[in-house]
Amino acid sequence: MAVVNTATHGDHAHEVHDDHHDNFITKYIFSTDHKMIGKQFLVTGIFWALIGGFLSILFRLQLGFPEMDMSFLRPILGGWITETGELDQNFYLALVTMHGTIMVFFVLTAGLSGTFSNFLIPLQIGARDMASGFMNMLSYWFFFVSGLIMFASLFLEKGPAGGGWVVYPPLSALEQAIPGSGMGMTLWLIAMVFFIASTLLGGINYITTIINMRTKGMTFARLPLTIWSFFLTAVIGLLSFPVLFAAALLLVFDRSFGTSFYLADIYIGGEALPHTGGSPVLYQHLFWFLGHPEVYIVLLPALGITSEVIATNSRKPIFGYKAMIISMLGITILSFVVWAHHMFVSGMNPFLGSVFMFLTLIIAVPSAVKVFNYLTTLWRGNLIFTPAMLFSIGLVSFFISGGLTGIFLGNSAIDIQLHDTYFVVAHFHLVMGSASFFGLMAGVYHWFPKMFGRMMDSKLGYIHFWLTFIGVYMVFFPMHYIGIAGFPRRYYSWTNFDFANMYTDLNMFVSIAAIVTFAAQFIFLFNFFYSMYKGRKAPHNPWRSNTLEWTTPINPGHGNWPGEIPSVYRWPYDYSKPGSAADFIPQTVPLSATPESNLPHEEELVKLEKQIMAEEGQVLVANESNK
Amino acid sequence: MYGFLIVLGLLLLVSVIWMVYRVQTLVSVMKGSEKKIASGSNKVNAAMFMVFLILSFILMAWYSVKEFDNYQLPIASEHGQITDNLFWITMAVTGFIFILTHILLFWFPYKYQYEENKRAAYYPDNNKLEIIWTLVPALVLTVLVISGWRAWKDITSPAPENAHVIELLGYQFAWDIRYAGQDNQLGRHDFRLTNATNSRGVDFTDENALDDFESNRVVIPKGEPVLFRIRARDVLHSVFAPHMRLKMDAVPGMPTRFWFTPTKTTAEMREETGNPEFEYEIACTEVCGSGHFSMRRVIEVVTPEEYQQWLAEQKPFIVQNPDLVANLPADKKKVAEIMIEENK
Ligand code: HEM
Ligand SMILES: [Cu+2]
Ligand SMILES: [Cu+2]
């Protein structure tokens, strides 16, 4: 592809692109254009979010209204509603499992990274497309196939996988143990293999593109924080997803070929199985070696998006750009050495527990730094509350609330009581689920004009935000109380236990809040699809932002910039710079053009800049004469 | 019928959204606020953050105080006292940070909301600040970790010699309880020996097994160390005794353990909670299948005297069911039979 040499500034690749006429299939389906692929990921992600959300409403009905007659769901759920109008117990577990899998992998990994890494990386670093458009297309279609398989598993007679989203063996290995561990689990594993392939294809592309295809002047120290976060996310994914693949593969062997990697000494269904010597704890180590980094795969892009949105709408540089990068680097590295904090009471050696407790609490430090930096960015800003800005502030709030409870859980002595209770559910839904979801929303509201050339309606955005923000807290905050009281996770009902036979009112409240919050998402859906066709036409740079994507045409074609790719002369956060008349200076404005606002060290750079521009001129002239 | 109603409801919802949308677009076109950088909504949103801050704090404080006795389960073990202390210390530290950061997070939007002729401060970095707020959390966390680590080390240290040994075997969907008997030593087990009469797979060729007995509740003495030896027969389970602040997974093929010292008898706890039906309970906290939510057992904490008395009344497996030793080699069988005689 001619696209590869974009770094050399003046190539004519775009003209080549404009020549071939896209038909429907190459434009909307098997597209290799990063923008279209990003949108494909987004729309698919939204589809999955609706499915995942709907499943959670089903089990919230069960938890909030245990007495309710659910016969009215029979048209949808068929045999999963028993004769007496109750939800089937195995199906309850299947719902929880599918909800977790869908949300973590399909919505917050593919839907978030897939959308914004694809859409923004070339636009913000100044490239015409991804390093390999074809691999990028494959990445989407592997994800699509993965989704099809997972979706099909929802309709199996014995139900989809039901061992929790972590699918711990032996439960997930033995069909005798739970019906979902039959065909449902097989499809789960196949779907995950496709998903892992998709993530790796995408990740390799993101990394290569960021390293090799930045436009002239776009040094790493001038990359927007979004790009930094996508970059580190891809690195984490590339290193950790193969381990999940290994874990899944061994599980396949145990399930289908009689090996004993994870199985030992099992007596079930009236017979002793032949397996000996395996270890279920081994699976947990492998799973969480992906699982913990995965939570940062989900969160980092959201943090990157937020940094960008908050800086732009505060009309201030992000505070501590370098510190932000260093903390993300720190998180990246540390995220690989804390996995066993999910296993304090798994029976592993308590000494390991001590080690992982120390490592885990170290990771809280860079997280804290990020929070303080966000706060300082808001401080003395000139804040404009676009819906994206609101969602970003919401994200910071969730990141704080959920991050702080991590400090309890990371302390192994305290975790003895809290592990696998609703406290953990509250923790990760706030810090990972809701925070990342808000990052996704912030991104959609912020870059919608670039995606579709139209504006979303901001009033509906405000209503959507406030309902969702309050709703999320109403759903997840009460879970802390429930968790401290010791309510275990993944329980169909709590009435069997005296200690947990309370809080029926609170659980009902949570369920109602969940339904309202889910309903509020339809405001977003309406806004999204309606604005796509009928929204107000977007101006060129609606948020008066500095980054490169706003220098493209309102509806960028293949290749993104019709002419040459612009060069970059400064970092992306020159907002409200003293001396400058406008309150933002795009990255494409040379320092030499803004002597009034340059800082002392930038004056030094001006000389260098002039020199480079002179050389440029010579090259250009040479090129012209070569024609 | 329901389906129809749901569809109708959805249609209604969409049309309401659409109407709100149209009305407010027309209004904003009239006002010309589209052209402004920040419309009147900016003020509303800024104010909303303050409203949210204040109302949600009031709600949180009110509920946390009102419900304290409900969510704070009474503690009934020695180490539970320590871990709960750690919990509340951590709560104080994080609660302070939670409140402080949220006041800033919601007050700044109000204070620094957009004004047309104002300009944001250009304040890109300050290394001193960064260092301070790296070091301070690091120090605070170090203190928390070290105290947590010391507690963890004690809790997970080997059980005292004199701990009463009790085996909990998780299976779908209940716990089997086995006592070590007079010798306080559990007999060996082998999953291949499991059958209808020997559900724990106890190996009766091991003499330690001869005095082992079963119980349908966990009876333990107050003030004396107790060691749970935990196993699973089919899939993962997890022993959770909330009042004892105790949790440990049950893993097939890998026995685990947890020791603790109960501090209050069931009777005392009944008095303390004013609930004459109070029982200490064991639940399962590792998803294990459809009956996961129903794996209940009761722990009965009694005085040491009552415990000794209870112990003396229990009959070993082999006394209850002499068939268990019917197929043992002759010499072992002899020992077993003497044992049965003695315990008749
Ligand atoms: C302040 C830093 C954090 C610390 C110290 C921390 C600590 C922990 C610990 C110890 C657990 C295990 C709890 C248990 O199962 O008993 C846990 C669970 C979890 N954490 Fe965090 N966490 C932190 C931040 C995060 C972040 C930023 C995310 C996501 C972006 C996250 C996502 C999760 C998830 C998904 C789980 C539960 C997984 C499951 O059991 O299904 N945590 N956290
Ligand atoms: Cu983790
Ligand atoms: Cu269970």
Side-chain angles (χ1 to χ4, degrees), chain A residues 143-187:
Chain A
F143 167 51
F144 188 82
V145 171
S146 164
L148 277 187
I149 298 171
M150 199 63 90
F151 193 69
S153 84
L154 292 173
F155 300 97
L156 291 174
E157 195 195 331
K158 296 201 163 166
W165 77 282
V166 298
V167 297
Y168 283 174
L171 186 62
S172 60
L174 305 172
E175 194 172 358
Q176 305 93 304
I178 184 170
S181 290
M183 197 57 189
M185 188 61 207
T186 306
L187 291 191

Coordinates of all heavy atoms in Angstrom, one line a residue, chain A residues 143-187:
Chain A
F143 N -13.8 -10.4 15.1 CA -14.7 -10.0 16.2 C -16.2 -10.3 15.9 O -16.9 -10.8 16.7 CB -14.5 -8.5 16.4 CG -15.5 -7.9 17.3 CD1 -15.8 -8.4 18.6 CD2 -16.2 -6.7 17.0 CE1 -16.8 -7.8 19.4 CE2 -17.1 -6.1 17.8 CZ -17.4 -6.7 19.0
F144 N -16.5 -10.1 14.6 CA -17.9 -10.3 14.2 C -18.3 -11.8 14.3 O -19.3 -12.1 14.9 CB -18.1 -9.8 12.8 CG -19.5 -9.8 12.3 CD1 -20.4 -8.8 12.6 CD2 -20.0 -10.9 11.6 CE1 -21.7 -8.8 12.2 CE2 -21.4 -10.9 11.2 CZ -22.2 -9.8 11.5
V145 N -17.4 -12.6 13.8 CA -17.6 -14.0 13.9 C -17.7 -14.5 15.3 O -18.6 -15.3 15.7 CB -16.5 -14.8 13.1 CG1 -16.6 -16.3 13.4 CG2 -16.6 -14.5 11.7
S146 N -16.8 -14.0 16.1 CA -16.8 -14.3 17.6 C -18.1 -14.0 18.2 O -18.7 -14.8 18.9 CB -15.7 -13.5 18.3 OG -15.8 -13.5 19.6
G147 N -18.6 -12.8 17.8 CA -19.9 -12.4 18.3 C -21.1 -13.3 17.8 O -21.9 -13.7 18.6
L148 N -21.0 -13.7 16.6 CA -22.0 -14.6 16.0 C -22.1 -15.9 16.8 O -23.1 -16.4 17.2 CB -21.7 -15.0 14.6 CG -22.2 -14.0 13.5 CD1 -21.9 -14.6 12.1 CD2 -23.6 -13.6 13.7
I149 N -20.9 -16.4 17.1 CA -20.8 -17.7 17.8 C -21.3 -17.5 19.2 O -22.1 -18.3 19.7 CB -19.4 -18.2 17.8 CG1 -18.9 -18.5 16.4 CG2 -19.3 -19.5 18.7 CD1 -17.5 -18.8 16.3
M150 N -20.9 -16.4 19.9 CA -21.4 -16.2 21.3 C -22.9 -16.0 21.3 O -23.6 -16.5 22.1 CB -20.7 -15.0 21.8 CG -20.7 -14.8 23.3 SD -19.8 -16.2 24.2 CE -18.2 -15.5 24.3
F151 N -23.4 -15.3 20.3 CA -24.8 -15.1 20.2 C -25.6 -16.4 20.0 O -26.6 -16.6 20.6 CB -25.1 -14.1 19.0 CG -26.5 -13.5 19.0 CD1 -26.8 -12.6 20.0 CD2 -27.4 -13.9 18.1 CE1 -28.1 -12.1 20.0 CE2 -28.7 -13.3 18.1 CZ -29.1 -12.4 19.1
A152 N -25.0 -17.2 19.1 CA -25.7 -18.5 18.8 C -25.8 -19.3 20.1 O -26.8 -20.0 20.4 CB -24.9 -19.3 17.8
S153 N -24.7 -19.2 21.0 CA -24.7 -20.0 22.2 C -25.9 -19.6 23.1 O -26.3 -20.4 24.0 CB -23.4 -19.9 22.9 OG -23.3 -18.8 23.7
L154 N -26.4 -18.4 23.0 CA -27.5 -18.0 23.8 C -28.8 -18.8 23.6 O -29.7 -18.9 24.4 CB -27.9 -16.5 23.6 CG -26.8 -15.5 24.0 CD1 -27.2 -14.1 23.6 CD2 -26.7 -15.5 25.5
F155 N -28.8 -19.4 22.4 CA -30.1 -20.1 22.0 C -30.0 -21.7 22.1 O -30.8 -22.4 21.7 CB -30.5 -19.7 20.6 CG -30.7 -18.3 20.5 CD1 -29.7 -17.4 20.0 CD2 -31.9 -17.7 20.9 CE1 -29.9 -16.0 20.0 CE2 -32.1 -16.3 20.9 CZ -31.1 -15.5 20.4
L156 N -28.9 -22.1 22.7 CA -28.7 -23.6 22.8 C -29.8 -24.1 23.8 O -30.2 -23.4 24.7 CB -27.3 -23.9 23.4 CG -26.2 -23.6 22.5 CD1 -24.9 -23.9 23.2 CD2 -26.2 -24.5 21.3
E157 N -30.1 -25.4 23.6 CA -31.1 -25.9 24.4 C -30.7 -26.0 25.9 O -31.4 -25.7 26.8 CB -31.4 -27.3 23.9 CG -32.7 -27.9 24.5 CD -32.8 -29.4 24.3 OE1 -32.3 -29.8 23.3 OE2 -33.5 -30.0 25.1
K158 N -29.4 -26.3 26.1 CA -28.9 -26.4 27.5 C -28.3 -25.1 27.9 O -27.8 -25.0 29.0 CB -27.8 -27.5 27.6 CG -28.4 -28.8 27.3 CD -27.6 -29.9 27.8 CE -28.3 -31.2 27.9 NZ -27.5 -32.3 28.2
G159 N -28.4 -24.1 27.2 CA -28.0 -22.8 27.6 C -26.6 -22.5 27.3 O -25.8 -23.4 27.1
P160 N -26.2 -21.2 27.4 CA -24.8 -20.8 27.2 C -24.0 -21.1 28.4 O -24.5 -21.6 29.4 CB -24.9 -19.3 27.0 CG -26.1 -18.9 27.7 CD -27.1 -20.1 27.6
A161 N -22.7 -20.8 28.4 CA -21.8 -21.1 29.5 C -22.3 -20.5 30.8 O -22.9 -19.4 30.7 CB -20.4 -20.6 29.2
G162 N -22.1 -21.1 31.9 CA -22.7 -20.6 33.1 C -21.8 -20.6 34.3 O -22.2 -20.6 35.5
G163 N -20.5 -20.7 34.1 CA -19.5 -20.8 35.2 C -19.0 -19.4 35.7 O -18.0 -19.4 36.3
G164 N -19.6 -18.3 35.3 CA -19.1 -17.0 35.6 C -18.2 -16.6 34.5 O -17.7 -17.5 33.7
W165 N -17.9 -15.3 34.3 CA -17.2 -14.9 33.2 C -15.7 -15.3 33.2 O -15.0 -15.4 32.2 CB -17.2 -13.3 33.0 CG -16.3 -12.6 33.9 CD1 -16.6 -12.3 35.3 CD2 -15.1 -12.0 33.6 NE1 -15.6 -11.6 35.8 CE2 -14.6 -11.3 34.8 CE3 -14.3 -11.9 32.5 CZ2 -13.4 -10.6 34.9 CZ3 -13.1 -11.2 32.6 CH2 -12.6 -10.6 33.8
V166 N -15.3 -15.8 34.4 CA -13.9 -16.3 34.6 C -13.8 -17.8 34.2 O -12.7 -18.3 34.1 CB -13.4 -16.1 36.0 CG1 -13.4 -14.6 36.3 CG2 -14.2 -16.8 37.0
V167 N -15.0 -18.4 34.0 CA -15.1 -19.8 33.7 C -14.0 -20.7 34.3 O -13.2 -21.4 33.7 CB -15.1 -20.0 32.1 CG1 -16.3 -19.4 31.5 CG2 -13.8 -19.5 31.4
Y168 N -14.0 -20.7 35.6 CA -13.0 -21.6 36.4 C -13.4 -23.0 36.1 O -14.5 -23.4 36.3 CB -13.1 -21.3 37.9 CG -12.5 -20.0 38.4 CD1 -12.6 -19.7 39.7 CD2 -11.7 -19.2 37.6 CE1 -12.0 -18.5 40.2 CE2 -11.1 -18.1 38.1 CZ -11.3 -17.8 39.4 OH -10.7 -16.7 39.9
P169 N -12.4 -23.8 35.8 CA -12.6 -25.3 35.9 C -12.5 -25.7 37.4 O -11.9 -24.9 38.1 CB -11.4 -25.9 35.1 CG -10.4 -24.8 35.1 CD -11.1 -23.5 35.3
P170 N -12.9 -26.8 37.8 CA -13.6 -27.9 37.0 C -15.0 -27.6 36.5 O -15.5 -28.3 35.7 CB -13.6 -29.0 38.0 CG -12.7 -28.7 39.1 CD -12.6 -27.2 39.1
L171 N -15.6 -26.5 37.1 CA -17.0 -26.3 36.8 C -17.2 -26.2 35.3 O -18.1 -26.7 34.7 CB -17.6 -25.0 37.5 CG -19.1 -24.7 37.3 CD1 -19.9 -25.9 37.9 CD2 -19.4 -23.4 38.0
S172 N -16.3 -25.4 34.6 CA -16.4 -25.2 33.2 C -16.0 -26.3 32.4 O -16.2 -26.4 31.2 CB -15.6 -23.9 32.8 OG -14.3 -24.2 33.1
A173 N -15.4 -27.3 33.0 CA -14.8 -28.4 32.3 C -15.8 -29.6 32.3 O -15.6 -30.5 31.4 CB -13.5 -28.9 32.8
L174 N -16.7 -29.7 33.2 CA -17.5 -30.9 33.4 C -19.0 -30.6 33.1 O -19.6 -29.8 33.8 CB -17.4 -31.4 34.8 CG -15.9 -31.6 35.3 CD1 -16.0 -31.9 36.8 CD2 -15.3 -32.8 34.5
E175 N -19.4 -31.3 32.1 CA -20.8 -31.1 31.7 C -21.8 -31.6 32.8 O -22.9 -31.1 33.0 CB -21.2 -31.8 30.4 CG -22.5 -31.3 29.9 CD -22.7 -31.8 28.4 OE1 -21.9 -32.5 27.9 OE2 -23.8 -31.5 27.9
Q176 N -21.3 -32.6 33.6 CA -22.1 -33.1 34.7 C -22.4 -32.0 35.7 O -23.3 -32.1 36.5 CB -21.4 -34.3 35.4 CG -21.0 -35.4 34.5 CD -19.5 -35.3 34.1 OE1 -19.2 -34.2 33.5 NE2 -18.7 -36.2 34.4
A177 N -21.4 -31.1 35.8 CA -21.5 -30.1 36.9 C -22.5 -29.0 36.6 O -23.2 -28.5 37.6 CB -20.1 -29.5 37.2
I178 N -22.7 -28.6 35.4 CA -23.7 -27.6 35.1 C -23.9 -27.7 33.6 O -23.0 -27.9 32.8 CB -23.1 -26.2 35.4 CG1 -24.1 -25.1 35.2 CG2 -21.8 -25.9 34.7 CD1 -23.7 -23.7 35.8
P179 N -25.2 -27.6 33.2 CA -25.5 -27.9 31.7 C -24.8 -26.9 30.8 O -24.4 -27.3 29.7 CB -27.0 -27.7 31.7 CG -27.5 -27.4 33.0 CD -26.4 -27.4 34.0
G180 N -24.5 -25.7 31.2 CA -23.8 -24.7 30.4 C -22.4 -25.2 30.0 O -21.8 -24.6 29.1
S181 N -21.9 -26.1 30.7 CA -20.5 -26.5 30.4 C -20.4 -27.5 29.3 O -19.4 -28.1 29.0 CB -19.8 -27.1 31.7 OG -19.6 -26.1 32.6
G182 N -21.6 -27.8 28.6 CA -21.5 -28.6 27.5 C -21.2 -27.8 26.2 O -20.2 -27.1 26.1
M183 N -22.2 -27.8 25.3 CA -22.0 -27.1 24.1 C -21.8 -25.6 24.3 O -21.1 -24.9 23.6 CB -23.3 -27.3 23.2 CG -23.1 -27.0 21.8 SD -21.7 -27.9 21.1 CE -21.6 -27.1 19.5
G184 N -22.5 -25.1 25.3 CA -22.4 -23.6 25.6 C -21.0 -23.2 25.8 O -20.5 -22.2 25.3
M185 N -20.3 -24.0 26.6 CA -18.9 -23.7 27.0 C -18.0 -23.9 25.7 O -17.1 -23.1 25.5 CB -18.5 -24.6 28.1 CG -17.1 -24.3 28.7 SD -17.1 -22.6 29.4 CE -15.4 -22.2 29.2
T186 N -18.3 -24.9 24.9 CA -17.5 -25.1 23.7 C -17.6 -23.9 22.8 O -16.6 -23.4 22.4 CB -18.0 -26.3 23.0 OG1 -18.1 -27.4 23.9 CG2 -17.2 -26.6 21.8
L187 N -18.8 -23.4 22.7 CA -19.0 -22.2 21.8 C -18.3 -21.0 22.5 O -17.7 -20.1 21.8 CB -20.5 -21.9 21.6 CG -21.2 -22.9 20.7 CD1 -22.6 -22.4 20.3 CD2 -20.4 -23.2 19.5

